[in-house]
């Protein structure tokens, strides 16, 4: 995943890292094997936990809130990739993550970017009960007023190759809704083919993709 590559650079100086909602634990494995970091995963999906453990990856089937009470001030970084948007109690979730962090520790999230082309789509998976929240740069900036956190940086994912058609469909719908005539002029079978080729040839790197990556630091 794009966010895994970005996060590895941000975690190089960390000794102990927790990933919440780690799935099969591939990122945990990479941190341990490739970076020499003492990494641990939390995952509530029992099948994913079993597969991860079978592959020798340390994954615990623990609730974040309960785990935070048992291990306060333990980790240099807590990560959650494509998890926060599923949480229906974000305040409690973030408070639990903060309990686990040492002072100055990093809180790293990657979420679907509500400010991206997603805002021009009607995707049922981007709505409750699948996605409970939509996050933007402004959302992460506001966390600084609610928690002892500092927003260090935000990074936007370039348009991924597997999202090209999704992106074009979103833009087509946007333009046709605003101006049907111009929408048909700029987004037809011929122009869509040209746009797709241009994006596939490397042009996609200049367009904002789906995900938003944020790094925050716990204030002492």
């Amino acid at each position: 995943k794009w966010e895994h590559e970005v996060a590895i650079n941000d975690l190089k100086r960390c000794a102990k890292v927790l990933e919440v909602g780690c799935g099969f634990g591939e990122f945990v494995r990479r941190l341990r094997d490739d970076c020499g970091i003492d990494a641990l995963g939390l995952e509530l999906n029992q099948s994913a936990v079993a597969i991860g453990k079978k592959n020798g990856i340390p994954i615990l089937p623990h609730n974040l809130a309960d785990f935070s009470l048992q291990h306060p001030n333990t980790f240099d970084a807590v990560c959650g990739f494509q998890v926060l948007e599923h949480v229906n109690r974000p305040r409690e979730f973030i408070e639990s993550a903060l309990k686990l962090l040492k002072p100055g520790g990093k809180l790293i999230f990657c979420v679907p970017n509500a400010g991206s082309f997603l805002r021009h789509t009607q995707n049922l998976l981007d709505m409750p009960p699948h996605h409970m929240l939509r996050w933007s740069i402004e959302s992460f900036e506001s966390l600084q007023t609610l928690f002892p956190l500092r927003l260090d940086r935000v990074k936007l994912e370039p348009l991924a190759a597997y999202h090209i058609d999704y992106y074009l469909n979103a833009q087509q719908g946007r333009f046709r809704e605003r101006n049907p005539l111009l929408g048909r002029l700029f987004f037809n079978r011929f122009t869509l083919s040209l746009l797709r080729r241009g994006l596939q040839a490397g042009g996609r790197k200049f367009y904002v993709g789906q995900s938003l990556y944020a790094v925050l630091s716990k204030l002492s």
Side-chain angles (χ1 to χ4, degrees):
K1 290 185 176 182
W2 167 81
E3 56 262 34
H4 289 178
E5 303 301 325
V6 179
I8 282 177
N9 287 326
D10 286 325
L11 296 171
K12 284 182 177 178
R13 296 183 180 180
C14 295
K16 196 172 183 67
V17 174
L18 176 72
E19 183 187 3
V20 183
C22 68
F24 301 122
E26 177 58 22
F27 184 67
V28 173
R29 183 200 63 75
R30 288 189 63 185
L31 290 179
R32 295 176 69 87
D33 294 350
D34 300 343
C35 306
I37 294 173
D38 181 10
L40 174 69
L42 294 186
E43 175 58 55
L44 296 179
N45 185 312
Q46 296 289 343
S47 298
V49 173
I51 292 173
K53 286 186 174 181
K54 185 178 180 181
N55 292 325
I57 302 170
I59 304 175
L60 299 176
H62 291 178
N63 175 277
L64 177 63
D66 295 338
F67 188 76
S68 69
L69 295 176
Q70 301 165 6
H71 304 276
N73 303 310
T74 299
F75 295 91
D76 299 299
V78 174
C79 307
F81 303 114
Q82 312 297 336
V83 170
L84 193 57
E85 67 274 16
H86 296 279
V87 176
N88 63 353
R89 294 179 180 270
R91 188 182 191 98
E92 289 88 341
F93 185 91
I94 294 172
E95 286 174 344
S96 296
L98 282 171
K99 287 178 185 177
L100 290 163
L101 282 175
K102 300 174 184 177
K106 297 178 183 293
L107 186 57
I108 297 178
F109 290 120
C110 189
V111 296
N113 178 11
S116 73
F117 68 91
L118 294 177
R119 70 187 187 275
H120 304 303
T121 67
Q122 292 295 325
N123 185 351
L124 291 177
L125 294 179
D126 196 30
M127 303 176 186
H130 189 66
H131 286 176
M132 301 302 295
L133 301 165
R134 289 178 176 170
W135 291 85
S136 64
I137 295 175
E138 293 78 12
S139 303
F140 284 104
E141 289 175 341
S142 72
L143 295 183
Q144 300 172 107
T145 66
L146 301 171
F147 304 96
L149 283 169
R150 181 185 68 244
L151 180 60
D152 292 331
R153 76 183 183 105
V154 169
K155 189 175 178 64
L156 301 178
E157 178 188 20
L159 181 63
Y162 54 86
H163 281 150
I164 287 176
D165 285 338
Y166 190 19
Y167 174 83
L168 289 175
N169 288 337
Q171 298 301 340
Q172 181 181 33
R174 172 193 178 193
F175 274 84
R176 288 192 173 183
E177 182 178 343
R178 290 185 174 183
N179 190 315
L181 181 60
L182 287 179
R184 287 192 294 270
L185 178 64
F186 290 109
F187 289 91
N188 54 58
R189 184 180 301 179
F190 177 72
T191 57
L192 281 172
S193 177
L194 291 177
L195 289 169
R196 185 178 294 106
R197 290 178 185 177
L199 293 173
Q200 290 172 339
R204 63 182 177 83
K205 296 178 182 179
F206 300 101
Y207 291 84
V208 174
Q210 174 181 275
S211 294
L212 167 63
Y213 174 93
V215 181
L216 305 105
S217 292
K218 178 180 179 180
L219 302 177
S220 55

